[in-house]
């Protein structure tokens, strides 16, 4: 029972075939770097977001939730530095017109250009030339390339302006990260709830970035969802709380089935000027060639609130009731892309097994994450009494669990389909159910073992199975 090599083709094909993820606007020839989530994809995404929320908000006395707008006052993004500095320098191929991220091209020569400006990158390219080395186009291999130019990742809109022409005065931005809304509501939350430092504000929602390279399926897209938590604290509390949150986020992945050997810490060497420490949790995205960033856990100092105080003119200080001291809280954040996390959990669950000389593809999701918890079948489609009973079981259990009724094809095919979408249990109503003992067959996704369970005992049976 070997786990086979996971390729991007296997994952994308399964996602399309089984209704997890579809490329956007396919009937119009597609729309790059945007993906749509099908019936099982939306269930998995919702389950991941719910389990994240449960641990980040519900189970924490010190974290509250928020849902702020995607559009915000444009000055927000001037204050945060995004308007002037949220760039990925790009290089274009003059022959085949491929657009590439300049830092990715320098990576080939062992140069870390992640935080370099276009000018710094061009200086590096000159140094390479002096050593007789040249950059090549990733598509056609030719060396006829433009210099590195800045490419803003901000997505603009004309929302609310009378014309669809964008000018400096009427431009608004689609948020490039969800945390902006948290900083702008920090004071509202302070004034309307009983939170006291240290406390966190969490939110999930869409974010938009005009990514240059977006060819890695749902790993890097132009529209995506973030799940972020900003934790406000005193500077003196930072290191202790930072270590606690790092541990909490690491353990969250283990709890939901990510294997220890598939995640690792990456410590940022180059930091934003305001940051004291930043780590990422990297996941082993085998289909993309190895470990890549999944979640960031960053210390942000008092930069964000100081900037918004400066640009808005509104005091964002915290008053310590005990000491009378007023100060701008420091912030640490946990930030993860829901779609990227989805990709990681698909990877982790994807399993190929040899069963009776054939390959069985099964998504071994943790039960809490599985899109469908229980599938209910009548043994035969053309036996009304079996169909009726199976529908009764479906109606009953779908009040408590996400269930699916299936009477297509034979039982073998139905099992294969449910394995491929990761359904932990399949319940079959057969002739014995009706004629003998009111029991059904319950088949386990992972062991493929089957057992008979009386319908009146099914409730307790599943309560036990889905117990946390
Ligand atoms: N507020 C901090 C922040 O946004 P980031 O490292 O730019 O930090 C955080 O993004 C997380 O958001 C990343 O670790 C990744 O999971 C996700 N993310 C960022 N850009 C993304 C994209 N274009 N597509 C999908 N997920 C993305």
């Amino acid at each position: 029972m070997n786990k086979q090599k996971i390729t991007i083709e296997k994952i994308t094909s399964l996602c399309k075939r089984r209704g997890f993820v579809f490329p956007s606007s396919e009937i119009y020839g597609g729309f790059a770097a945007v993906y749509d989530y099908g019936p099982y994809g939306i269930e998995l995404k919702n389950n991941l977001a719910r389990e994240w929320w449960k641990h980040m908000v519900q189970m924490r006395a010190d974290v509250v939730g928020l849902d702020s707008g995607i559009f915000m006052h444009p000055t927000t993004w001037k204050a945060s530095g995004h308007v002037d500095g949220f760039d990925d320098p790009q290089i274009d191929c003059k022959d085949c017109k491929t657009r590439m991220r300049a830092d990715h091209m320098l990576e080939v020569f062992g140069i870390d250009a992640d935080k370099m400006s276009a000018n710094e990158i061009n200086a590096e390219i000159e140094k390479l030339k002096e050593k007789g080395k040249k950059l090549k186009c990733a598509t056609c291999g030719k060396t006829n390339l433009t210099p590195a130019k800045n490419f803003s990742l901000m997505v603009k809109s004309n929302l609310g302006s009378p014309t669809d022409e964008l000018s400096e005065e009427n431009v608004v931005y689609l948020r490039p990260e969800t945390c902006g809304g948290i900083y702008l509501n920090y004071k509202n939350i302070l004034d309307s709830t009983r939170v006291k430092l240290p406390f966190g504000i969490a939110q999930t929602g869409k974010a938009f970035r005009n990514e240059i390279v977006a060819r890695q399926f749902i790993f890097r897209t132009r529209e995506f969802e973030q799940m972020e938590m900003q934790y406000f604290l005193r500077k003196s509390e930072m290191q202790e709380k930072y270590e606690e949150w790092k541990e909490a986020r690491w353990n969250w992945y283990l709890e939901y089935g990510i294997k220890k050997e598939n995640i690792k810490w990456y410590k940022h060497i180059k930091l934003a000027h305001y940051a004291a420490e930043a780590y990422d949790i990297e996941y082993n995205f085998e289909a993309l060639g190895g470990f890549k960033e999944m979640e960031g856990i960053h210390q942000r100092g008092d930069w964000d609130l100081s900037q918004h105080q400066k640009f808005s003119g509104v005091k964002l200080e915290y008053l310590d009731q005990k000491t009378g001291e007023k100060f701008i809280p420091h912030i640490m954040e946990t930030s993860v892309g829901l779609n990227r996390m989805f990709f990681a959990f698909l990877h982790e669950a994807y399993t190929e097994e040899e069963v009776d000389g054939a390959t069985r593809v099964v998504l071994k999701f943790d039960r809490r994450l599985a899109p469908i918890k229980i599938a209910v079948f009548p043994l035969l489609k053309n036996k009304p009494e079996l169909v009726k009973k199976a529908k009764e079981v479906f109606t009953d259990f779908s009040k408590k669990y996400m269930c699916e009724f299936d009477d297509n094809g034979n039982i073998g095919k139905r099992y294969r389909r449910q394995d491929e979408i990761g359904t932990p249990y399949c319940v079959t109503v057969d002739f014995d159910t009706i004629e003998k003992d009111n029991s059904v067959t319950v088949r386990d996704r992972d062991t493929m073992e089957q057992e008979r369970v009386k319908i009146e005992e099914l409730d307790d049976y599943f309560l036990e199975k889905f117990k946390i």
Side-chain angles (χ1 to χ4, degrees), residues 1-4 6 249-265 281-286 291-292 294 341 343-353 362-366 369 445-446:
M1 300 241 280
N2 279 336
K3 208 170 173 202
Q4 311 291 309
I6 301 173
R249 291 308 303 146
W250 179 267
N251 288 339
W252 187 88
Y253 287 104
L254 301 186
E255 163 150 5
Y256 288 91
I258 299 285
K259 282 183 227 64
K260 233 189 229 156
E261 61 268 26
N262 281 337
I263 45 176
K264 67 176 189 193
W265 289 109
I281 296 179
E282 293 190 332
Y283 178 75
N284 184 13
F285 288 96
E286 196 183 332
F291 281 91
K292 286 184 188 297
M294 178 161 61
M341 179 192 271
F343 195 9
F345 276 92
L346 260 185
H347 253 83
E348 194 71 30
Y350 186 92
T351 315
E352 290 177 2
E353 293 173 349
V362 51
L363 292 182
K364 294 192 172 179
F365 290 124
D366 178 281
L369 301 180
R445 174 194 70 196
D446 298 341

Side-chain angles (χ1 to χ4, degrees), residues 278-374:
Y279 275 86
D280 292 337
I281 296 179
E282 293 190 332
Y283 178 75
N284 184 13
F285 288 96
E286 196 183 332
L288 301 178
F291 281 91
K292 286 184 188 297
E293 173 185 341
M294 178 161 61
E295 167 157 357
I297 301 157
H298 310 138
Q299 297 186 11
R300 301 182 63 115
D302 59 1
W303 155 262
D304 301 284
L305 290 182
S306 302
Q307 283 295 101
H308 290 303
Q309 173 167 292
K310 186 167 134 196
F311 277 73
S312 67
V314 174
K315 286 260 177 264
L316 296 177
E317 290 167 324
Y318 179 85
L319 169 66
D320 189 320
Q321 303 283 0
K322 277 195 199 138
T323 62
E325 192 194 354
K326 276 186 181 172
F327 57 95
I328 301 257
H330 282 231
I331 294 175
M332 62 130 292
E333 71 173 350
T334 74
S335 173
V336 61
L338 175 55
N339 318 71
R340 201 173 280 189
M341 179 192 271
F342 177 112
F343 195 9
F345 276 92
L346 260 185
H347 253 83
E348 194 71 30
Y350 186 92
T351 315
E352 290 177 2
E353 293 173 349
E354 288 305 306
V355 179
D356 299 331
T359 303
R360 169 173 104 113
V361 173
V362 51
L363 292 182
K364 294 192 172 179
F365 290 124
D366 178 281
R367 284 158 177 59
R368 290 165 290 184
L369 301 180
I372 303 293
K373 311 291 187 222
I374 305 167

Side-chain angles (χ1 to χ4, degrees), residues 54-120:
K54 184 173 169 193
H55 282 252
M56 298 297 287
V57 182
Q58 183 184 326
M59 289 164 62
R60 306 270 325 192
D62 56 349
V63 182
V64 295
L66 174 75
D67 181 19
S68 69
I70 285 172
F71 287 111
M72 296 159 74
H73 193 288
T75 310
T76 308
W77 307 115
K78 281 202 167 41
S80 68
H82 283 84
V83 171
D84 297 321
F86 197 43
D87 295 312
D88 267 344
Q90 70 176 54
I91 291 176
D92 290 340
C93 174
K94 291 184 197 165
D95 287 328
C96 74
K97 312 292 176 214
T98 297
R99 176 156 288 170
M100 292 155 285
R101 261 177 66 167
D103 59 334
H104 289 177
M105 298 185 79
L106 286 187
E107 242 172 51
V108 178
F109 298 96
I111 301 168
D112 179 4
D114 186 30
K115 296 257 180 319
M116 285 187 194
S117 67
N119 284 344
E120 287 167 326

Side-chain angles (χ1 to χ4, degrees), residues 192-236:
S192 61
T193 69
R194 285 161 296 125
V195 290
K196 297 254 178 311
L197 287 191
F199 71 92
I201 305 175
Q203 92 160 320
T204 68
K206 293 260 183 181
F208 302 82
R209 294 183 190 181
N210 201 9
E211 298 281 1
I212 303 169
V213 177
R215 283 190 300 260
Q216 297 159 308
F217 189 42
I218 53 173
F219 180 81
R220 188 184 306 283
T221 49
R222 295 193 174 122
E223 176 178 339
F224 58 101
E225 277 168 84
Q226 276 190 324
M227 304 198 290
E228 298 199 292
M229 191 280 307
Q230 306 293 310
Y231 202 69
F232 300 81
L233 34 60
R234 292 171 184 85
K235 190 178 178 193
S236 59

